[in-house]
Amino acid sequence: MRRFFLLASLFITVLAVKAQSDPVVMTVNGVDVNRSEFEYSFNKNNADGVIDKKTVEEYADLYAIYKMKVAAALDAKLDTLTSFKQEYAVYRDQQVLPSMASDDEVLSEARNAYDRAKEQIGSKGLILPAHIFLRLSTKATAEEQRTVAQRADSVWQAIKQGADFAELCKKVSQDRRSAVNGGELAWIGPNQVYPEFEEAAYALQKGEVSRPVQSPDGYHIILMKDRKQLEPFEELKDQIVRSFEQQGIREAIARQKIKSAVAGGQTTEEQYMARRADSLGAVDTEMKYLIQEYHDGLLVYEISNRQVWEKASKDEAALDAWFRSHKKDYRFPEPRFKGIAYHVKNLADVKAVKKCVKKLPFSQWADALRKTFNPDSVIRIRVEQGLFKPGDSRLVDHKIFRTSLDKPVEVNKDYPIDAVYGKKLKKPQDYTDVRGQVVEDYQQALEQQWVAALRQRYAVKIYEDVLKTVNKH
């Protein structure tokens, strides 16, 4: 019994020390937010280069709102959506996978790769060849084959008589990638190139040139630039490791571990990765909050989209009602022309276009014109529709704004008759004339209403004394 009380006392002491070192800075809907979490978010979002920096007190209110949105998303069970689970798992795994492979394991893979390469290379070593290449199609006629063979022989004879290999290569080689470098290829070992090329190249000593060698691609005249044995592992270690890292060796090692862990059927990959993320977060606070930030951020994005962004952008009736009740808030900095600038072949079509759209809503003009005048491959008219400001269209400037009378409108010989139809507006007529601004304003109003409702729904307590101890860096 005494031992039990001793352990219990020790446990309580540990908790007390932890609470003192990382106190609760706020509680939202009964969930504590520790100072370390708040500091992580505050400092990340108030780093150098951030334009709209916040004080700790300002950010605390914003963070409380953020946490209320997370609570609302969880209450709506958005974390159970398949789409959420999949996207979150992808991001979480991207953070966790590299930590599952140690430097020693990466080094071991590098060593294994080196040993395999050394065994394959054997005593033959590595060679650095250059070549002059003359292409020969596998479908070449006998005459074409003779022509290419004779040309290859002529090149070889020229080299024998003292022609510079590199200069000749630049002029005649059809391997343009290597030709610019005098025909030089990469270091190669056994079984990396065509057998015909390999056999001829390995038979050369440094500085020697081969006779024309035929491979399935064509003819090669090979110059042996250098030869060597594979360097010791210690000399190549950093290069191999760096190459492996670029190829994602750590993730490959991690994936193999996951495969082994779930092979027995006692756990799923999702369960295994969730435990790995928890274990990593227990020893790496920044990683813990990074993963949590993505988890909560996905939830807030989804619920904000439902409550504010998508709701505002798609509810046309609500946008119209908002515009009508706030009409005085919307102005054009300068007049606009709401209509069409069009080009026709026949004068009669000028009136026909106007008659076609005269009694229709502006949003239906384009479809009506297409069906009436351009129903198939025969194009009777060319039309540009929109809300034009001065400078958008030379034709509109000329006929409506009268700003380019001294600059003639360019005439299209196929559609020589130009016309405009619509209205010149001093201020917006309906919400579609300033839709972007109306959507933004309506979203802001919905956001304010939503936040007010969240404050009524979820209790928030901010501990001002702890807030004053936040480390700002």
Side-chain angles (χ1 to χ4, degrees), residues 100 252-265 267 269 272:
M100 294 172 61
I253 294 172
R255 292 290 182 192
Q256 186 57 47
K257 288 184 177 181
I258 296 170
K259 185 178 179 180
S260 299
V262 303
T267 186
E269 182 174 332
Y272 179 80

Side-chain angles (χ1 to χ4, degrees), residues 317-385:
L319 291 173
D320 182 50
W322 174 270
F323 173 80
R324 292 180 183 279
S325 61
H326 298 81
K327 204 168 184 177
K328 66 181 187 304
D329 297 333
Y330 299 99
R331 295 285 184 272
F332 290 139
E334 55 188 343
R336 298 285 191 268
F337 173 68
K338 186 176 184 179
I340 54 175
Y342 60 103
H343 316 275
V344 297
K345 298 180 178 181
N346 304 311
L347 188 60
D349 279 342
V350 172
K351 290 185 178 180
V353 167
K354 296 178 182 179
K355 184 179 179 180
C356 175
V357 300
K358 187 175 183 180
K359 296 182 180 181
L360 296 176
F362 186 68
S363 61
Q364 297 178 17
W365 285 17
D367 191 50
L369 291 171
R370 179 183 58 79
K371 290 179 179 178
T372 303
F373 297 96
N374 302 332
D376 47 37
S377 59
V378 179
I379 307 299
R380 280 174 60 186
I381 65 171
R382 293 195 177 279
V383 185
E384 184 180 3
Q385 178 179 341

Side-chain angles (χ1 to χ4, degrees), residues 85-101 250-252 254-255 258 268-278 280 287 290-291 294:
K85 290 180 179 179
Q86 290 175 342
E87 187 170 357
Y88 168 64
V90 168
Y91 180 83
R92 177 202 62 202
D93 294 354
Q94 286 176 345
Q95 310 309 312
V96 174
L97 286 171
S99 70
M100 294 172 61
R250 290 182 186 271
E251 180 172 341
R255 292 290 182 192
I258 296 170
T268 65
E269 182 174 332
E270 169 58 28
Q271 292 169 336
Y272 179 80
M273 291 305 296
R275 289 197 299 269
R276 290 292 308 195
D278 290 342
L280 181 61
M287 180 62 70
L290 178 64
I291 294 175
Y294 196 83

Side-chain angles (χ1 to χ4, degrees), residues 103-104 106-111 113-114 230-245:
D103 291 344
D104 287 343
V106 173
L107 188 61
S108 176
E109 289 295 327
R111 181 77 210 203
Y114 174 85
L230 185 64
E231 294 89 344
F233 175 70
E234 287 302 317
E235 290 185 28
L236 299 177
K237 178 178 64 177
D238 292 344
Q239 179 182 336
I240 299 173
V241 169
R242 185 164 54 249
S243 175
F244 273 24
E245 293 281 16

Side-chain angles (χ1 to χ4, degrees), residues 388-399:
F388 299 87
K389 65 179 184 297
D392 285 347
S393 165
R394 179 70 64 82
L395 181 57
V396 173
D397 287 349
H398 186 79
K399 290 186 174 291

